[in-house]
Structures are given as C-alpha cells and as structure tokens.
Amino acid sequence: MKALIETRNKGPERVFLVGVELKSGSALESRDSLEELSELAATAGGEVIGKGVQKLDAPHAGTFIGKGKADEFADYCRRNDVDTVIFDDELSPAQSRNLEGVFNCKVLDRSSLILDIFAQRARTREGKLQVELAQLQHLLPRLTRFWGHLSRQKGGIGMRGGEGEQQLETDRRRVQDRIARISRELELVRQHRSIQRHARQRNNWPLASIVGYTNAGKSTLLNALTGAEVFADDRLFATLDPTTRHLRLPTNQNVLLTDTVGFIRKLPHTLVEAFKATLEEVIRTDLLLHVVDISHPLAEEQIAAVNAVLKEIGAEDKPTLMIFNKLDKLDGNGTWNRLAERFPHAVGISARTGEGIQALLAELGGQLRPPREFVQLAVPHEQSALIARLHAVGQVIESSYRGKQARFKARIPPHLHDEFAPFIVREAQKVGATG
Ligand SMILES: Nc1nc2c(ncn2[C@@H]2O[C@H](COP(=O)(O)OP(=O)(O)OP(=O)(O)O)[C@@H](O)[C@H]2O)c(=O)[nH]1
Ligand SMILES: [Mg+2]
C-alpha cells in the first residue's frame, strides 16, 4: 500500500497538527503527546508547518474540536498551503469526513499516521502483511474522497455522489477482498514461522524478550549484549520486525533474546490486533526485559503505556526485569529515586557506554535459572537418541555404561520430565541447580 504521506515533486508534505487538552487530562501530557505527534509526522516524511491546541470538556461528536476552532485552523491551513491535517487522537469515520469538509484537504489521525510509519518500516513478509491488514481495517470505515490512493482513476478523487460514490463502493469491496486474502496469506506465513521456531527451540534454551517504549534503546541493548547488528536510530519505530539472537551468559547459561517493535501511547487498536501473533510470540517467553529511557521526562508515563499494551496482549503477569537505560544522559536523580523505589530490582545501565551491563548479565542469570529435577535413569544402550538428548538438555552428573543398561544421575528441566519418565528409576526433590 502506498504511504499516506507522500513526498511529491514540490517537496515534503506540509502538515498541520491538532491536539486537545481535555479537562480530565494534564496539560503536560497533552503537550508531550503533541510533541510526539510532531516527531511521528517528521518520521513519516512530513514538514510540520504549525500546531493548534484546544481546551475542551469533551470532544465534539461532529468535528472533534469545536466548529469555530476548526474554521479558524482551516483558515490558517489555507493561507499556509497545508496539505494534511493530523489530529492527535483517533477520529471516528464521521468526524474524519466532516473535518475534511471543513479543512478541504486530507485529514488524518494519530492512528493512521502510526500505521503509515509502520508501513514504511516493515521489511519481512509477515511484517508487511500485518501492517497492511491493520491499515485496511482502519481504512475501511473511513473511505472518503480524499483517500484516492486506492484508485487513481479519474473520478475517484474529489468526487462525491454519482460516479464518485460508485467508485467508493468498488473500493470498499476491493478492500474487503484484500483483507480476506491477506488474512489467508498471513496464516500460511505464520505456519511456516512456527516450524522455524520449533527448529530454533530444539536446544530448549530459555527465551527472553526485550520490550519497551519506542526509542528506549531496546535494539542498542540487544546489540550491546549479543553483538547483533540491529538497526538502532534516534527515531520512532526504528525496529518493526523481531530479531532473535543467542546470548551466552558468564555463567554459561544460554538465552535467546528477542528485540521487537516498540510501544507508544495511543497505539492503534487495529495495529495491536494485527501484530498480536508477533507480540504473542514475544510474550511466550520466560522473561520480559522492560527497557525504560530513564532520562526521558515522561519515563513513568511511558512505563504505564507499555504496561497497558502488555495487558492488552495478556502479558501483564510475566516475570519482568526492569532495565533503566540511558544512565549516561540522566541529569538529576529525581526520576531515578522515584522509580528505584517503585522497582527495587531494576538494573540501571547505559546501553551506549556499557555501564551496568555486567550487573545486568548477573541479574539475568539469576532470573533465568530454571529449577531442575534430580533423577536417576536406567536407559537401554540402543536408546542412543534419548541418551544424546539427556546430555543436551540435562546436566549429567554421573554416568555408567557398563551392565545391560546405561545409568545416569542427572538434573533435568521439569517440563521435560515426561519425556524421560519411562527410564527414571529414582527421583529426588526438585532443586534449584546451577543451570
Ligand atoms: N545516551 C544514550 N543514548 C542511547 C542509549 N541507548 C540507546 N540510545 C540511543 O537512543 C536511540 C534509540 O535507540 P534504539 O536502540 O534504536 O531504541 P529502540 O528502543 O530499539 O527504538 P525503536 O526500535 O524505534 O522502538 C538511538 O539514537 C540510540 O543511540 C544510552 O544508553 N545512552
Ligand atoms: Mg529498535
């Protein structure tokens, strides 16, 4: 699908931003949210020409902001050659249509903008399909005359009624067909990936996922820990598709670490839905590493936003290690003190300078150490595959190959108990072992 914000011959698209300060929210939060919207717009290739804010008790049903304010902004936009107006909050289909009437140009909301950036970032087949699915689902109820990119035919754009309406109907059908096709294709891609995952999981290493707000330093951390070369950059949503790398801790424990897409406030619901499979994979792990940019003035709000998404994908109860990143950038200890009190086990690091990484590795080792069962086994010699498997996943403490059967004393992960059960001749209590 084409980018919503297009860079044309005449240069970057000129963008005007609109935010509201609701009486129920804080002014700081809405200002910061608008600041973030501005970064998002720039990330999408737009040039922010101006911003407008209105204080409201509640959004208006018809035009989100008040009609008078909308006219005032529209006037400004006309005089300044604005191509696109972007609202910081999700607009209903009716609001979008009405506002396009007032502004007489393309009107987007934060969700469509985020979707647009995701579309530009997606690299893998699955990533691209997921984004397109989310975009189409978001778009379907919003098909209006300015969404001409679906059909470049004459009459598609700028025509309401008559041929234009018919064109919209055709577009709707096409969108629905496409949604059905993408869903089927995604299913196939996912089946394939689940095969790959099983291959990777052969050796039963524990899994950990790096999660956090966008730009918190997740990819930088993965790179610092594993020498991976994931693209890390000072822009929002640098990473979209998950990358998994093997990490061997100083204690010789092995971990598979996955870095993935960052979260943001007001993440579009269709996007969370479309990415659910990817995200579920992320949380089907033994441990979450929640990276926080501790130098950010709204670090606490960002933690809350991440937790909200984690909750939405059913991961709020996962064991989590909090990591306070960008210590090198921190001035003053206020945020640090407050957050350290709330998260006593958090580890402070700088993924950039390497400060605190050793302490992080130690903490990681402690948290990932699996409980082990101590067992004695008697295995017929011809069961060589099982014997090999025991050495791969367990910790063999003593072995003897004399006699009719091979005998072992070993520690095995409890979840593999069933696999070895037929050969266990003696069990001891579960013990916390050295991993
Ligand atoms: N000063 C400082 N900058 C850091 C640190 N860690 C990361 N950064 C910078 O922060 C920016 C974002 O880093 P990324 O690793 O791309 O962040 P991310 O969490 O992967 O971001 P997304 O993939 O966009 O969600 C980059 O410019 C990094 O160089 C740190 O410890 N200190
Ligand atoms: Mg990243």
Side-chain angles (χ1 to χ4, degrees):
M1 174 173 268
K2 286 206 86 147
L4 291 181
I5 292 195
E6 295 168 48
T7 11
R8 281 171 267 162
N9 307 341
K10 67 173 187 140
E13 201 156 322
R14 294 166 67 81
V15 173
F16 183 79
L17 308 179
V18 181
V20 296
E21 247 172 59
L22 288 178
K23 290 271 159 60
S24 52
S26 84
L28 175 66
E29 232 186 292
S30 85
R31 261 207 309 282
D32 187 75
S33 185
L34 201 60
E35 192 50 46
E36 200 171 71
L37 186 72
S38 175
E39 269 179 69
L40 286 167
T43 300
E47 183 187 353
V48 178
I49 303 300
K51 299 178 195 174
V53 177
Q54 187 179 33
K55 282 190 187 159
L56 282 177
D57 288 325
H60 290 240
T63 48
F64 198 77
I65 53 176
K67 180 70 171 57
K69 205 64 176 176
D71 286 334
E72 182 192 320
F73 289 160
D75 190 46
Y76 176 92
C77 289
R78 246 187 319 277
R79 279 185 283 111
N80 289 281
D81 267 334
V82 166
D83 305 295
T84 304
V85 177
I86 307 178
F87 279 69
D88 194 25
D89 295 271
E90 182 144 333
L91 300 171
S92 72
Q95 286 166 339
S96 306
R97 266 194 306 275
N98 295 338
L99 286 164
E100 279 178 354
V102 175
F103 282 94
N104 205 33
C105 70
K106 188 162 60 178
V107 173
L108 302 177
D109 60 13
R110 187 183 176 97
S111 290
S112 352
L113 182 58
I114 293 174
L115 287 167
D116 185 56
I117 295 170
F118 271 61
Q120 291 178 15
R121 293 275 190 273
R123 290 288 169 271
T124 64
R125 186 90 195 107
E126 186 177 19
K128 287 179 180 162
L129 287 170
Q130 286 179 141
V131 175
E132 190 173 350
L133 184 63
Q135 275 187 318
L136 291 173
Q137 283 168 343
H138 186 77
L139 170 64
L140 193 56
R142 293 177 171 76
L143 273 177
T144 67
R145 56 186 175 146
F146 285 103
W147 297 80
H149 56 279
L150 273 178
S151 153
R152 294 260 170 239
Q153 281 153 286
K154 258 216 282 204
I157 309 172
M159 289 281 292
R160 215 183 268 280
E163 257 181 48
E165 276 302 327
Q166 275 172 21
Q167 186 62 53
L168 277 181
E169 269 314 307
T170 321
D171 282 350
R172 276 197 192 97
R173 267 201 306 282
R174 278 169 52 195
V175 170
Q176 274 158 342
D177 289 350
R178 182 98 186 107
I179 286 178
R181 259 191 40 216
I182 293 179
S183 306
R184 281 195 300 275
E185 207 175 321
L186 257 179
E187 197 46 49
L188 290 177
V189 174
R190 279 175 189 152
Q191 280 167 13
H192 178 70
R193 198 174 42 131
S194 118
I195 294 167
Q196 287 180 327
R197 181 179 64 235
H198 287 127
R200 204 171 55 214
Q201 261 302 83
R202 245 188 340 242
N203 28 30
N204 271 294
W205 289 334
L207 304 171
S209 290
I210 304 177
V211 296
Y213 210 77
T214 185
N215 213 41
K218 300 178 294 297
S219 301
T220 309
L221 177 61
L222 183 78
N223 291 344
L225 289 175
T226 68
E229 287 173 16
V230 176
F231 179 65
D233 193 26
D234 195 9
R235 55 166 142 173
L236 306 177
F237 301 116
T239 312
L240 198 58
D241 299 306
T243 303
T244 301
R245 288 287 179 276
H246 168 223
L247 168 65
R248 183 184 282 271
L249 298 173
T251 50
N252 275 335
Q253 285 164 288
N254 293 294
V255 192
L256 288 175
L257 263 188
T258 299
D259 168 40
T260 187
V261 58
F263 300 159
I264 195 164
R265 260 170 299 173
K266 309 177 191 168
L267 198 62
H269 187 72
T270 56
L271 203 53
V272 178
E273 273 301 314
F275 271 75
K276 224 159 193 168
T278 307
L279 292 173
E280 270 166 7
E281 184 125 327
V282 164
I283 59 171
R284 213 178 297 132
T285 59
D286 304 275
L287 183 67
L288 296 181
L289 308 182
H290 182 164
V291 179
V292 180
D293 175 357
I294 188 86
S295 73
H296 197 283
L298 290 173
E300 289 187 80
E301 282 79 359
Q302 298 192 340
I303 293 175
V306 170
N307 285 341
V309 180
L310 287 176
K311 187 162 180 210
E312 199 173 339
I313 55 178
E316 73 261 49
D317 298 324
K318 274 269 148 192
T320 303
L321 174 58
M322 298 297 288
I323 300 175
F324 296 162
N325 189 32
K326 307 200 188 180
L327 271 190
D328 59 294
K329 250 176 97 180
L330 190 67
D331 49 47
N333 287 324
T335 323
W336 173 264
N337 290 341
R338 231 182 8 263
L339 286 173
E341 194 174 322
R342 210 176 124 199
F343 302 102
H345 294 289
V347 184
I349 63 159
S350 165
R352 181 172 282 179
T353 67
E355 181 186 355
I357 294 285
Q358 288 311 314
L360 171 61
L361 291 173
E363 185 65 31
L364 207 53
Q367 300 233 10
L368 283 170
R369 183 174 301 155
R372 297 278 173 127
E373 280 180 61
F374 187 70
V375 292
Q376 294 187 28
L377 302 118
V379 187
H381 294 293
E382 58 272 21
Q383 296 272 0
S384 53
L386 187 103
I387 292 173
R389 171 106 174 121
L390 177 66
H391 283 84
V393 300
Q395 192 178 15
V396 177
I397 293 156
E398 209 181 308
S399 55
S400 154
Y401 292 91
R402 283 177 308 185
K404 276 219 302 274
Q405 297 192 315
R407 291 186 169 266
F408 304 96
K409 289 181 184 168
R411 292 196 171 104
I412 57 167
H415 68 281
L416 297 179
H417 182 277
D418 287 355
E419 208 176 303
F420 296 101
F423 308 101
I424 293 176
V425 290
R426 205 165 152 180
E427 298 186 46
Q429 273 181 316
K430 275 186 195 177
V431 285
T434 48

PDB file of all heavy atoms in Angstrom, residues 138-161:
ATOM      1  N   HIS A 138      -8.403  -0.276   9.381  1.00  0.00           N
ATOM      2  CA  HIS A 138      -8.587   1.087   9.855  1.00  0.00           C
ATOM      3  C   HIS A 138      -9.259   1.939   8.780  1.00  0.00           C
ATOM      4  O   HIS A 138     -10.080   2.800   9.057  1.00  0.00           O
ATOM      5  CB  HIS A 138      -7.221   1.672  10.218  1.00  0.00           C
ATOM      6  CG  HIS A 138      -7.295   3.024  10.850  1.00  0.00           C
ATOM      7  ND1 HIS A 138      -7.657   3.209  12.162  1.00  0.00           N
ATOM      8  CD2 HIS A 138      -7.065   4.259  10.356  1.00  0.00           C
ATOM      9  CE1 HIS A 138      -7.640   4.496  12.436  1.00  0.00           C
ATOM     10  NE2 HIS A 138      -7.286   5.164  11.364  1.00  0.00           N
ATOM     11  N   LEU A 139      -8.891   1.652   7.546  1.00  0.00           N
ATOM     12  CA  LEU A 139      -9.333   2.473   6.424  1.00  0.00           C
ATOM     13  C   LEU A 139     -10.783   2.218   6.033  1.00  0.00           C
ATOM     14  O   LEU A 139     -11.514   3.147   5.682  1.00  0.00           O
ATOM     15  CB  LEU A 139      -8.412   2.171   5.232  1.00  0.00           C
ATOM     16  CG  LEU A 139      -8.763   2.709   3.859  1.00  0.00           C
ATOM     17  CD1 LEU A 139      -8.721   4.219   3.863  1.00  0.00           C
ATOM     18  CD2 LEU A 139      -7.775   2.172   2.837  1.00  0.00           C
ATOM     19  N   LEU A 140     -11.169   0.967   6.100  1.00  0.00           N
ATOM     20  CA  LEU A 140     -12.459   0.553   5.550  1.00  0.00           C
ATOM     21  C   LEU A 140     -13.621   1.467   5.925  1.00  0.00           C
ATOM     22  O   LEU A 140     -14.343   1.947   5.049  1.00  0.00           O
ATOM     23  CB  LEU A 140     -12.738  -0.898   5.949  1.00  0.00           C
ATOM     24  CG  LEU A 140     -13.880  -1.580   5.219  1.00  0.00           C
ATOM     25  CD1 LEU A 140     -13.674  -1.531   3.709  1.00  0.00           C
ATOM     26  CD2 LEU A 140     -14.015  -3.020   5.672  1.00  0.00           C
ATOM     27  N   PRO A 141     -13.809   1.752   7.216  1.00  0.00           N
ATOM     28  CA  PRO A 141     -14.948   2.628   7.541  1.00  0.00           C
ATOM     29  C   PRO A 141     -14.681   4.093   7.202  1.00  0.00           C
ATOM     30  O   PRO A 141     -15.560   4.931   7.350  1.00  0.00           O
ATOM     31  CB  PRO A 141     -15.101   2.469   9.055  1.00  0.00           C
ATOM     32  CG  PRO A 141     -13.773   2.030   9.541  1.00  0.00           C
ATOM     33  CD  PRO A 141     -13.111   1.291   8.419  1.00  0.00           C
ATOM     34  N   ARG A 142     -13.484   4.389   6.770  1.00  0.00           N
ATOM     35  CA  ARG A 142     -13.121   5.791   6.574  1.00  0.00           C
ATOM     36  C   ARG A 142     -12.947   6.173   5.112  1.00  0.00           C
ATOM     37  O   ARG A 142     -12.449   7.251   4.812  1.00  0.00           O
ATOM     38  CB  ARG A 142     -11.807   6.085   7.309  1.00  0.00           C
ATOM     39  CG  ARG A 142     -11.946   6.005   8.814  1.00  0.00           C
ATOM     40  CD  ARG A 142     -10.633   6.229   9.513  1.00  0.00           C
ATOM     41  NE  ARG A 142     -10.816   6.355  10.945  1.00  0.00           N
ATOM     42  CZ  ARG A 142     -11.056   5.345  11.756  1.00  0.00           C
ATOM     43  NH1 ARG A 142     -11.138   4.121  11.283  1.00  0.00           N
ATOM     44  NH2 ARG A 142     -11.216   5.537  13.043  1.00  0.00           N
ATOM     45  N   LEU A 143     -13.295   5.275   4.231  1.00  0.00           N
ATOM     46  CA  LEU A 143     -13.101   5.575   2.816  1.00  0.00           C
ATOM     47  C   LEU A 143     -13.860   6.841   2.435  1.00  0.00           C
ATOM     48  O   LEU A 143     -15.073   6.895   2.506  1.00  0.00           O
ATOM     49  CB  LEU A 143     -13.623   4.417   1.962  1.00  0.00           C
ATOM     50  CG  LEU A 143     -12.648   3.288   1.693  1.00  0.00           C
ATOM     51  CD1 LEU A 143     -13.343   2.207   0.895  1.00  0.00           C
ATOM     52  CD2 LEU A 143     -11.414   3.781   0.992  1.00  0.00           C
ATOM     53  N   THR A 144     -13.127   7.859   2.063  1.00  0.00           N
ATOM     54  CA  THR A 144     -13.778   9.091   1.638  1.00  0.00           C
ATOM     55  C   THR A 144     -13.075   9.582   0.395  1.00  0.00           C
ATOM     56  O   THR A 144     -12.125   8.981  -0.070  1.00  0.00           O
ATOM     57  CB  THR A 144     -13.684  10.183   2.708  1.00  0.00           C
ATOM     58  OG1 THR A 144     -12.321  10.563   2.823  1.00  0.00           O
ATOM     59  CG2 THR A 144     -14.205   9.718   4.046  1.00  0.00           C
ATOM     60  N   ARG A 145     -13.495  10.720  -0.083  1.00  0.00           N
ATOM     61  CA  ARG A 145     -12.990  11.121  -1.380  1.00  0.00           C
ATOM     62  C   ARG A 145     -11.504  11.462  -1.380  1.00  0.00           C
ATOM     63  O   ARG A 145     -10.876  11.450  -2.406  1.00  0.00           O
ATOM     64  CB  ARG A 145     -13.787  12.310  -1.892  1.00  0.00           C
ATOM     65  CG  ARG A 145     -13.783  13.467  -0.926  1.00  0.00           C
ATOM     66  CD  ARG A 145     -14.701  14.539  -1.432  1.00  0.00           C
ATOM     67  NE  ARG A 145     -14.796  15.598  -0.458  1.00  0.00           N
ATOM     68  CZ  ARG A 145     -14.933  16.869  -0.771  1.00  0.00           C
ATOM     69  NH1 ARG A 145     -14.975  17.207  -2.032  1.00  0.00           N
ATOM     70  NH2 ARG A 145     -15.026  17.767   0.162  1.00  0.00           N
ATOM     71  N   PHE A 146     -10.938  11.776  -0.210  1.00  0.00           N
ATOM     72  CA  PHE A 146      -9.524  12.135  -0.241  1.00  0.00           C
ATOM     73  C   PHE A 146      -8.605  10.927  -0.171  1.00  0.00           C
ATOM     74  O   PHE A 146      -7.403  11.056  -0.253  1.00  0.00           O
ATOM     75  CB  PHE A 146      -9.191  13.124   0.881  1.00  0.00           C
ATOM     76  CG  PHE A 146      -9.698  14.492   0.563  1.00  0.00           C
ATOM     77  CD1 PHE A 146     -10.844  14.979   1.151  1.00  0.00           C
ATOM     78  CD2 PHE A 146      -9.043  15.271  -0.386  1.00  0.00           C
ATOM     79  CE1 PHE A 146     -11.317  16.227   0.834  1.00  0.00           C
ATOM     80  CE2 PHE A 146      -9.519  16.527  -0.714  1.00  0.00           C
ATOM     81  CZ  PHE A 146     -10.665  17.010  -0.103  1.00  0.00           C
ATOM     82  N   TRP A 147      -9.175   9.759   0.032  1.00  0.00           N
ATOM     83  CA  TRP A 147      -8.354   8.551   0.079  1.00  0.00           C
ATOM     84  C   TRP A 147      -8.190   8.014  -1.328  1.00  0.00           C
ATOM     85  O   TRP A 147      -8.460   6.873  -1.622  1.00  0.00           O
ATOM     86  CB  TRP A 147      -8.974   7.494   0.969  1.00  0.00           C
ATOM     87  CG  TRP A 147      -9.052   7.954   2.375  1.00  0.00           C
ATOM     88  CD1 TRP A 147      -9.990   8.775   2.916  1.00  0.00           C
ATOM     89  CD2 TRP A 147      -8.146   7.659   3.426  1.00  0.00           C
ATOM     90  NE1 TRP A 147      -9.725   8.999   4.241  1.00  0.00           N
ATOM     91  CE2 TRP A 147      -8.599   8.325   4.574  1.00  0.00           C
ATOM     92  CE3 TRP A 147      -6.993   6.875   3.508  1.00  0.00           C
ATOM     93  CZ2 TRP A 147      -7.944   8.246   5.783  1.00  0.00           C
ATOM     94  CZ3 TRP A 147      -6.342   6.804   4.718  1.00  0.00           C
ATOM     95  CH2 TRP A 147      -6.814   7.487   5.834  1.00  0.00           C
ATOM     96  N   GLY A 148      -7.775   8.860  -2.208  1.00  0.00           N
ATOM     97  CA  GLY A 148      -7.757   8.498  -3.614  1.00  0.00           C
ATOM     98  C   GLY A 148      -6.690   7.489  -3.975  1.00  0.00           C
ATOM     99  O   GLY A 148      -6.717   6.944  -5.065  1.00  0.00           O
ATOM    100  N   HIS A 149      -5.755   7.206  -3.054  1.00  0.00           N
ATOM    101  CA  HIS A 149      -4.646   6.340  -3.450  1.00  0.00           C
ATOM    102  C   HIS A 149      -5.086   4.933  -3.789  1.00  0.00           C
ATOM    103  O   HIS A 149      -4.354   4.181  -4.374  1.00  0.00           O
ATOM    104  CB  HIS A 149      -3.568   6.316  -2.378  1.00  0.00           C
ATOM    105  CG  HIS A 149      -4.079   5.907  -1.043  1.00  0.00           C
ATOM    106  ND1 HIS A 149      -4.712   6.778  -0.203  1.00  0.00           N
ATOM    107  CD2 HIS A 149      -4.086   4.717  -0.436  1.00  0.00           C
ATOM    108  CE1 HIS A 149      -5.070   6.148   0.888  1.00  0.00           C
ATOM    109  NE2 HIS A 149      -4.711   4.895   0.764  1.00  0.00           N
ATOM    110  N   LEU A 150      -6.316   4.571  -3.392  1.00  0.00           N
ATOM    111  CA  LEU A 150      -6.789   3.233  -3.722  1.00  0.00           C
ATOM    112  C   LEU A 150      -7.131   3.143  -5.196  1.00  0.00           C
ATOM    113  O   LEU A 150      -7.120   2.091  -5.788  1.00  0.00           O
ATOM    114  CB  LEU A 150      -8.039   2.904  -2.918  1.00  0.00           C
ATOM    115  CG  LEU A 150      -7.755   2.315  -1.545  1.00  0.00           C
ATOM    116  CD1 LEU A 150      -9.063   2.085  -0.840  1.00  0.00           C
ATOM    117  CD2 LEU A 150      -6.958   1.043  -1.654  1.00  0.00           C
ATOM    118  N   SER A 151      -7.483   4.240  -5.751  1.00  0.00           N
ATOM    119  CA  SER A 151      -7.872   4.208  -7.137  1.00  0.00           C
ATOM    120  C   SER A 151      -7.442   5.511  -7.782  1.00  0.00           C
ATOM    121  O   SER A 151      -7.884   6.589  -7.405  1.00  0.00           O
ATOM    122  CB  SER A 151      -9.390   4.059  -7.224  1.00  0.00           C
ATOM    123  OG  SER A 151      -9.824   4.631  -8.429  1.00  0.00           O
ATOM    124  N   ARG A 152      -6.561   5.402  -8.721  1.00  0.00           N
ATOM    125  CA  ARG A 152      -6.051   6.606  -9.366  1.00  0.00           C
ATOM    126  C   ARG A 152      -6.896   6.983 -10.592  1.00  0.00           C
ATOM    127  O   ARG A 152      -6.579   7.884 -11.328  1.00  0.00           O
ATOM    128  CB  ARG A 152      -4.591   6.403  -9.783  1.00  0.00           C
ATOM    129  CG  ARG A 152      -3.678   6.249  -8.603  1.00  0.00           C
ATOM    130  CD  ARG A 152      -2.960   7.558  -8.317  1.00  0.00           C
ATOM    131  NE  ARG A 152      -2.261   7.494  -7.047  1.00  0.00           N
ATOM    132  CZ  ARG A 152      -2.503   8.320  -6.041  1.00  0.00           C
ATOM    133  NH1 ARG A 152      -3.413   9.247  -6.160  1.00  0.00           N
ATOM    134  NH2 ARG A 152      -1.826   8.207  -4.924  1.00  0.00           N
ATOM    135  N   GLN A 153      -7.965   6.220 -10.793  1.00  0.00           N
ATOM    136  CA  GLN A 153      -8.798   6.510 -11.954  1.00  0.00           C
ATOM    137  C   GLN A 153      -9.447   7.873 -11.825  1.00  0.00           C
ATOM    138  O   GLN A 153      -9.697   8.348 -10.725  1.00  0.00           O
ATOM    139  CB  GLN A 153      -9.906   5.466 -12.082  1.00  0.00           C
ATOM    140  CG  GLN A 153      -9.423   4.187 -12.682  1.00  0.00           C
ATOM    141  CD  GLN A 153     -10.277   3.048 -12.194  1.00  0.00           C
ATOM    142  OE1 GLN A 153     -10.166   2.624 -11.064  1.00  0.00           O
ATOM    143  NE2 GLN A 153     -11.130   2.554 -13.062  1.00  0.00           N
ATOM    144  N   LYS A 154      -9.766   8.459 -12.939  1.00  0.00           N
ATOM    145  CA  LYS A 154     -10.470   9.743 -12.929  1.00  0.00           C
ATOM    146  C   LYS A 154     -11.800   9.568 -12.219  1.00  0.00           C
ATOM    147  O   LYS A 154     -12.455   8.551 -12.354  1.00  0.00           O
ATOM    148  CB  LYS A 154     -10.722  10.217 -14.362  1.00  0.00           C
ATOM    149  CG  LYS A 154      -9.735  11.291 -14.776  1.00  0.00           C
ATOM    150  CD  LYS A 154     -10.400  12.311 -15.673  1.00  0.00           C
ATOM    151  CE  LYS A 154     -10.510  11.759 -17.044  1.00  0.00           C
ATOM    152  NZ  LYS A 154     -10.605  12.374 -18.205  1.00  0.00           N
ATOM    153  N   GLY A 155     -12.176  10.528 -11.475  1.00  0.00           N
ATOM    154  CA  GLY A 155     -13.460  10.436 -10.805  1.00  0.00           C
ATOM    155  C   GLY A 155     -13.347   9.862  -9.416  1.00  0.00           C
ATOM    156  O   GLY A 155     -14.234  10.024  -8.601  1.00  0.00           O
ATOM    157  N   GLY A 156     -12.266   9.180  -9.132  1.00  0.00           N
ATOM    158  CA  GLY A 156     -12.111   8.587  -7.801  1.00  0.00           C
ATOM    159  C   GLY A 156     -11.869   9.657  -6.761  1.00  0.00           C
ATOM    160  O   GLY A 156     -12.468   9.666  -5.695  1.00  0.00           O
ATOM    161  N   ILE A 157     -11.013  10.584  -7.087  1.00  0.00           N
ATOM    162  CA  ILE A 157     -10.642  11.624  -6.126  1.00  0.00           C
ATOM    163  C   ILE A 157     -11.484  12.872  -6.339  1.00  0.00           C
ATOM    164  O   ILE A 157     -11.718  13.267  -7.474  1.00  0.00           O
ATOM    165  CB  ILE A 157      -9.158  12.010  -6.291  1.00  0.00           C
ATOM    166  CG1 ILE A 157      -8.298  10.741  -6.280  1.00  0.00           C
ATOM    167  CG2 ILE A 157      -8.739  12.979  -5.198  1.00  0.00           C
ATOM    168  CD1 ILE A 157      -6.861  10.982  -6.631  1.00  0.00           C
ATOM    169  N   GLY A 158     -11.901  13.443  -5.259  1.00  0.00           N
ATOM    170  CA  GLY A 158     -12.569  14.732  -5.345  1.00  0.00           C
ATOM    171  C   GLY A 158     -13.975  14.671  -5.889  1.00  0.00           C
ATOM    172  O   GLY A 158     -14.551  15.666  -6.294  1.00  0.00           O
ATOM    173  N   MET A 159     -14.543  13.497  -5.931  1.00  0.00           N
ATOM    174  CA  MET A 159     -15.903  13.355  -6.449  1.00  0.00           C
ATOM    175  C   MET A 159     -16.781  12.733  -5.383  1.00  0.00           C
ATOM    176  O   MET A 159     -16.513  11.656  -4.895  1.00  0.00           O
ATOM    177  CB  MET A 159     -15.920  12.416  -7.671  1.00  0.00           C
ATOM    178  CG  MET A 159     -15.296  12.993  -8.900  1.00  0.00           C
ATOM    179  SD  MET A 159     -16.418  14.124  -9.711  1.00  0.00           S
ATOM    180  CE  MET A 159     -17.660  12.989 -10.283  1.00  0.00           C
ATOM    181  N   ARG A 160     -17.809  13.430  -5.011  1.00  0.00           N
ATOM    182  CA  ARG A 160     -18.770  12.827  -4.103  1.00  0.00           C
ATOM    183  C   ARG A 160     -20.095  12.714  -4.844  1.00  0.00           C
ATOM    184  O   ARG A 160     -20.439  13.587  -5.615  1.00  0.00           O
ATOM    185  CB  ARG A 160     -18.946  13.687  -2.868  1.00  0.00           C
ATOM    186  CG  ARG A 160     -19.174  12.868  -1.627  1.00  0.00           C
ATOM    187  CD  ARG A 160     -19.422  13.777  -0.467  1.00  0.00           C
ATOM    188  NE  ARG A 160     -18.193  14.092   0.250  1.00  0.00           N
ATOM    189  CZ  ARG A 160     -17.648  13.268   1.131  1.00  0.00           C
ATOM    190  NH1 ARG A 160     -18.166  12.111   1.380  1.00  0.00           N
ATOM    191  NH2 ARG A 160     -16.578  13.615   1.796  1.00  0.00           N
ATOM    192  N   GLY A 161     -20.811  11.650  -4.627  1.00  0.00           N
ATOM    193  CA  GLY A 161     -22.057  11.450  -5.362  1.00  0.00           C
ATOM    194  C   GLY A 161     -21.744  10.925  -6.748  1.00  0.00           C
ATOM    195  O   GLY A 161     -20.596  10.941  -7.201  1.00  0.00           O
TER     196      GLY A 161
END
